[in-house]
Amino acid sequence: MELTSPFTLEYAYKRSLGPVLSRFFTALRDGRLEGVRTATGRVLFPPLEYDPDTGEDVGEPVEVGPGGVVTAWTAAPPPGEAWVLVRLDGADTAMLHRFTGDPASLETGLRVTARLAEQRVGFITDIAGFEVEA
Amino acid sequence: MSTPVAITGIGQTRYAAKRDDLSMPGLVREAAKRALDDAGVDWSDIDAVVLGKAPDMFEGVVQPELFLAGALGAVGKPMMRVHTAGSVGGSTAVVASHLISSGVHKRILTVAWEKQSESNAMWALSQRFPFAPPTTAGAGGYFAPIIRAYMRRTDAPEHIGWQVAVKDRQNAALNPLAHLQIPDISLEKVQASPMLWDPIRYLETCPSSDGACAMVMSCEDDGHKDAAWVHGTAMRSEPMLFAGRDEVSPQAGKDCARDAYAEAGITPADIDCAELYVPFSWYEPMWLENVGLAESGWRAVDEGRTALGGDLPINMSGGVLSSNPIGASGMIRFAEAALQVRGRAGAHQVDGAKLALGHAYGGGSQFFSMWIVGSERPS
């Protein structure tokens, strides 16, 4: 005989973002897309607290986008979701996000633009998704 | 013949109930950067990073070594995580030192941390897992009956715990990084504080702290005339529950101490001062006996021998009773021992300290780690 017992574990953790990411999410809530410049001159978007190449602190914020270019993409068959890696104008790194346009239009190099959510709360979903640039 | 290990850099955060000015990566970074600066080295000078962290449930971060690699300059370098419950800060330092003494690496950054404000250790330690005995009321509930057993066994008077609580907070007042600052602490205040888990009163317990501690260890002195040197290390464990177990003075703790002294080639009488892991006041006399520093731990306390001006100062930094970022608390003991033999402990320095002991324990008094550090390079 095998004995089993249900066990539910729930706890609401807290998170503090620190100065770099607090600035990023505050700007995002206000409708601005801000990356950070590293000591070597690269612009990271979304920002990281520390330069992954050198381990050094990152520098001042740099406004990027809202337009950008698709560097890679994937789409599930309809009615599935489509996902894009987008390098925003002015940034050197790409971010993964949802593509809200017609998946049939997706191709590497496609110009897209960020569509911000109407109600923004300081979370990454304040970018509702990316759509084809007009 | 193993390579001698030098501690050339030590960095600690300020300890506080809430460091909500920093993310978790920012917290470990603060300690790590201070250790690098103290050693006079840069991220690129580090060969590998060894991270210590208490149970994942405390912050809900699984595999923190991956989460924190970027903040610790470890991208592309060997990085590992050590986990031995509350003793982890000590074990992490021991593991890091072995990576030098074995000749595997030349310079290591080791870091241990906890951000208790983003979690709830009491909750994490009070789960009633199916088919397992509950600890029911956090660490205090678990340890209180063991303390009672010590008092009964040794006829220790009740005020011993109060004396430790006062002494450690007086020491904390000399340590600007310490979390609890209670300059007007007194026996009366401790005695009047609420009883939490008989016989443990509120002021006889450790706080919940955010903080991190870091050290740079090297196979040479990195040009630092005041480097601390590792003379002996040891780790031991035993099961939490078995028939006939001595929970007051666990065999694993005795064995761990014996090994550390033997490796250092010394006896307990050679130790000038020690940082023992004391989260509840009574664990000072209990560990004094367990690690062989005193025949009667409570008499050593009662006679004032463990005060900063005594002949066997214990927890000069204020100890776990004054700052407790759990995962880091063991490493703070080890780092503070190293600061003492470097003569760098500031207002809580023990004059002329040459050999110091760092000690940590964890779980249900089942994991032990210790190191002995000295001002001289071991021969």
Side-chain angles (χ1 to χ4, degrees), chain B residues 276-335:
Chain B
L276 304 180
Y277 200 106
V278 177
F280 303 100
S281 60
W282 279 94
Y283 271 85
E284 175 170 310
M286 289 163 70
W287 292 144
L288 280 172
E289 294 177 27
N290 186 246
V291 304
L293 285 174
E295 201 163 319
S296 167
W298 73 258
R299 286 196 171 83
V301 171
D302 208 24
E303 291 160 6
R305 293 182 55 205
T306 64
L308 196 47
D311 69 325
L312 183 60
I314 303 293
N315 292 331
M316 300 70 69
S317 67
V320 181
L321 278 181
S322 304
S323 310
N324 188 31
I326 301 173
S329 290
M331 189 172 288
I332 299 167
R333 310 279 71 72
F334 280 46

Side-chain angles (χ1 to χ4, degrees), chain A residues 30-132:
Chain A
D30 295 343
R32 294 192 317 280
L33 304 174
E34 282 187 0
V36 285
R37 194 183 305 281
T38 69
T40 56
R42 296 210 317 148
V43 174
L44 311 178
F45 184 89
L48 294 170
E49 290 190 85
Y50 310 103
D51 185 342
D53 295 331
T54 64
E56 297 297 335
D57 291 347
V58 293
E60 80 276 15
V62 178
E63 190 147 357
V64 299
V69 61
V70 171
T71 63
W73 58 273
T74 188
E81 293 276 345
W83 299 90
V84 283
L85 267 178
V86 180
R87 190 174 64 237
L88 289 172
D89 297 339
D92 294 295
T93 58
M95 79 174 294
L96 177 69
H97 214 299
R98 190 172 161 220
F99 180 69
T100 55
D102 176 8
S105 65
L106 272 172
E107 59 182 348
T108 300
L110 179 70
R111 291 283 309 170
V112 292
T113 191
R115 186 168 57 79
L116 296 181
E118 303 269 319
Q119 301 286 324
R120 292 188 298 274
V121 295
F123 202 69
I124 199 65
T125 46
D126 286 356
I127 301 175
F130 284 87
E131 56 199 17
V132 179

Side-chain angles (χ1 to χ4, degrees), chain B residues 58 116 119-127 136-141 197 208 326:
Chain B
F58 283 8
Q116 289 217 54
S119 67
N120 187 327
M122 182 76 184
W123 164 83
L125 293 173
S126 305
Q127 292 304 317
T136 62
W197 304 274
S208 290
I326 301 173

Side-chain angles (χ1 to χ4, degrees), chain A residues 3-19 21 49-57, chain B residues 20-26 29 42-43 57-61 71 75 115 117-120 123 127-130:
Chain A
L3 285 175
T4 61
S5 170
F7 180 61
T8 305
L9 194 60
E10 279 186 322
Y11 182 72
Y13 292 105
K14 287 175 246 173
R15 289 293 182 264
S16 304
L17 287 175
L21 298 181
E49 290 190 85
Y50 310 103
D51 185 342
D53 295 331
T54 64
E56 297 297 335
D57 291 347
Chain B
D20 51 10
D21 56 320
L22 295 173
S23 64
M24 284 187 250
R29 175 88 171 188
D42 208 341
W43 300 105
M57 257 165 65
F58 283 8
E59 284 90 359
V61 175
V75 176
K115 205 153 190 271
S117 70
E118 305 198 2
S119 67
N120 187 327
W123 164 83
Q127 292 304 317
R128 298 200 62 141
F129 293 99

Side-chain angles (χ1 to χ4, degrees), chain B residues 207-268:
Chain B
S208 290
S209 313
D210 288 356
C213 180
M215 287 186 279
V216 173
M217 292 184 209
S218 179
C219 61
E220 52 195 308
D221 64 8
D222 284 342
H224 291 262
K225 296 217 163 26
D226 69 346
W229 295 90
V230 178
H231 285 241
T233 63
M235 292 192 281
R236 278 290 184 280
S237 61
E238 70 183 34
M240 186 163 147
L241 295 167
F242 61 88
R245 180 176 189 226
D246 186 351
E247 292 184 283
V248 174
S249 189
Q251 188 63 39
K254 293 179 188 172
D255 292 347
C256 186
R258 187 197 58 210
D259 279 12
Y261 298 131
E263 190 175 311
I266 63 166
T267 69

